[in-house]
Amino acid sequence: MAPLLNRMLTPRFQTVLASAWISKRVAAKYVQEYIKQIREQGKQPEAKREVIAFAPPIQVQVLDVGESASYEALDAINGGEDSLFHARIKQNLVFGVSDGVGGWNESGIDPSVFSRSLTAYSATAAERSFLLHDSDEADPKDIMRRAFASMRYDNIPAYGSATELVVSLSLASGKLRTAQLGDSTYVLLDQKQKARFVSTEQQHRFNMPFQLTIPPTSDVPLKPRSEDAKESAQFFRPRPLDDDPKEALRIRKEIDADDFADLSSVGFDAPTDARENTHTMAHNEVVVAATDGLFDNVRVDEVEKLAERFMQAIGKIQKMKDVPAQESKATATSDLFGGLAYSIAAQAVANYIQGDLRSPFAERAKLAGYSFTGGKPDDVTVMLAWIKDTSKPDQKISNLSAKL
């Protein structure tokens, strides 16, 4: 009788997931053109000058994740050395970000191949999680472990290192679980858009984050790689499950048996080193997960101010009585939430081009004994999750498609 009841249960929580990303290369090209336009404007008489909006070409995806909303997983992005993923498994939404370690470029290794492959394997690991009941919680640390172990088992030529943050949200209970390895971090905003939790970087020392590594074999040619090649870099996805159940089980057991002892013995980090946290989320709270390109350049209070402005606008729309249809209201609020993701990423780009800025990265550098001023140009990847409790009135998400 229990399995039947379990199937009949519907998630109490729903969420809007908004992702925004831009590579350092694309941002630099835009900034150069923007500065050129500003200089051209300066040559015009003051009466003819127009305001030129700062609008970098940031990619944005907005998804309504609910009981009846359509959903399609994403396993990687073209975000420079950054990547992201999201996937569903029963009543869980799993998402995360990864940042390829740029130091490998000097050895001729493209770190974007590693980070994109890692998120692709993570998305599949999430979808293949064994959960007995629909309401069981996905384990983000186990997802990270199985993803990395599967990359090693498949022996794919994706070399280098990357940080990773994996987040799982139970739509049944509202519980948020995280596994963080490195300096991709997250912030939880309460109903008033004030930070109630800020995760800290996981570093061996300043600017050396914990990271997952697959070192290159001796026969890999090492030569410098161009930024153009990185933008179109390929990545690897997991092999399909074997049609023979016994063989599939054998492979899974072999992957699960990987204890990463060979890596630990030479000082490399492993998924077992990931820091875990658990939080209980409430209605109208927001999760902000990002690579270090965001929080190296944007202070938490800046994120709070942007979130307050957009969430207040969303609240006004939700209270409006003259919106033609409930679906139109849901679309408008989701679009605004995507605007918040865009604005947070754009703030990072605007900040890191300021040479005199006292950026979070500059402040941490000073504490570590280094002299650094200004922002830190980098790829920027942001994922926001807006939590909705369906036991509250007018919170059920309409059947909307993804907007990309």
Side-chain angles (χ1 to χ4, degrees), residues 22-40:
I22 185 170
S23 71
K24 179 172 64 174
R25 175 180 175 273
V26 171
K29 185 177 180 180
Y30 170 79
V31 168
Q32 288 176 355
E33 183 61 31
Y34 181 78
I35 292 173
K36 181 180 177 181
Q37 292 177 359
I38 293 294
R39 287 173 177 168
E40 289 297 322

Side-chain angles (χ1 to χ4, degrees), residues 6-265:
N6 187 60
R7 287 196 298 269
M8 293 170 61
L9 293 175
T10 57
R12 172 181 169 182
F13 291 87
Q14 299 177 353
T15 186
V16 179
L17 183 69
S19 305
W21 63 91
I22 185 170
S23 71
K24 179 172 64 174
R25 175 180 175 273
V26 171
K29 185 177 180 180
Y30 170 79
V31 168
Q32 288 176 355
E33 183 61 31
Y34 181 78
I35 292 173
K36 181 180 177 181
Q37 292 177 359
I38 293 294
R39 287 173 177 168
E40 289 297 322
Q41 277 281 53
K43 298 176 183 178
Q44 299 293 325
E46 188 171 349
K48 293 185 177 181
R49 293 177 188 175
E50 298 178 355
V51 175
I52 302 176
F54 185 77
I58 296 168
Q59 298 289 316
V60 177
Q61 184 194 59
V62 184
L63 287 168
D64 295 288
V65 184
E67 176 189 350
S68 60
S70 60
Y71 175 79
E72 183 176 352
L74 179 65
D75 64 359
I77 58 165
N78 183 358
E81 293 166 4
D82 282 2
S83 190
L84 64 78
F85 78 94
H86 55 75
R88 284 199 67 173
I89 172 67
K90 297 192 175 180
Q91 292 188 9
N92 295 272
L93 173 65
V94 182
F95 59 97
V97 297
S98 178
D99 180 5
V101 176
W104 284 98
N105 287 301
E106 299 173 8
S107 301
I109 300 294
D110 183 354
S112 67
V113 177
F114 187 94
S115 60
R116 295 176 197 183
S117 299
L118 179 59
T119 58
Y121 272 75
S122 296
T124 300
E127 293 175 333
R128 292 178 181 175
S129 297
F130 176 75
L131 302 179
L132 183 60
H133 304 105
D134 283 355
S135 58
D136 287 350
E137 297 170 4
D139 183 343
K141 190 171 184 175
D142 186 61
I143 289 168
M144 184 188 295
R145 178 191 65 78
R146 286 187 289 110
F148 186 53
S150 296
M151 288 176 66
R152 284 158 51 89
Y153 178 86
D154 286 350
N155 197 29
I156 58 174
Y159 307 112
S161 306
T163 67
E164 188 174 36
L165 169 66
V166 181
V167 180
S168 70
L169 173 65
S170 169
L171 301 178
S173 66
K175 186 177 289 185
L176 188 84
R177 299 177 62 179
T178 64
Q180 175 191 334
L181 189 87
D183 56 6
S184 292
T185 56
Y186 68 99
V187 171
L188 304 183
L189 302 178
D190 63 19
Q191 296 170 345
K192 295 182 178 179
Q193 290 73 58
K194 298 299 182 184
R196 69 173 179 89
F197 180 85
V198 179
S199 72
T200 57
E201 295 182 336
Q202 193 183 28
Q203 301 263 13
H204 290 287
R205 60 177 183 269
F206 175 70
N207 213 29
M208 182 176 280
F210 280 55
Q211 54 202 259
L212 299 177
T213 305
I214 296 181
T217 56
S218 58
D219 59 343
V220 175
L222 301 181
K223 59 182 180 179
R225 295 185 57 88
S226 69
E227 289 294 320
D228 288 336
K230 190 180 301 177
E231 286 299 318
S232 59
Q234 301 299 307
F235 64 95
F236 299 90
R237 291 187 169 99
R239 298 173 182 174
L241 291 173
D242 198 283
D243 292 334
D244 182 352
K246 290 184 178 179
E247 179 64 10
L249 181 60
R250 183 197 67 77
I251 292 173
R252 176 159 188 146
K253 286 182 176 180
E254 190 167 336
I255 290 172
D256 285 342
D258 189 348
D259 61 1
F260 314 106
D262 58 319
L263 295 177
S264 301
S265 66

Side-chain angles (χ1 to χ4, degrees), residues 263-274:
L263 295 177
S264 301
S265 66
V266 292
F268 286 129
D269 305 314
T272 49
D273 297 312

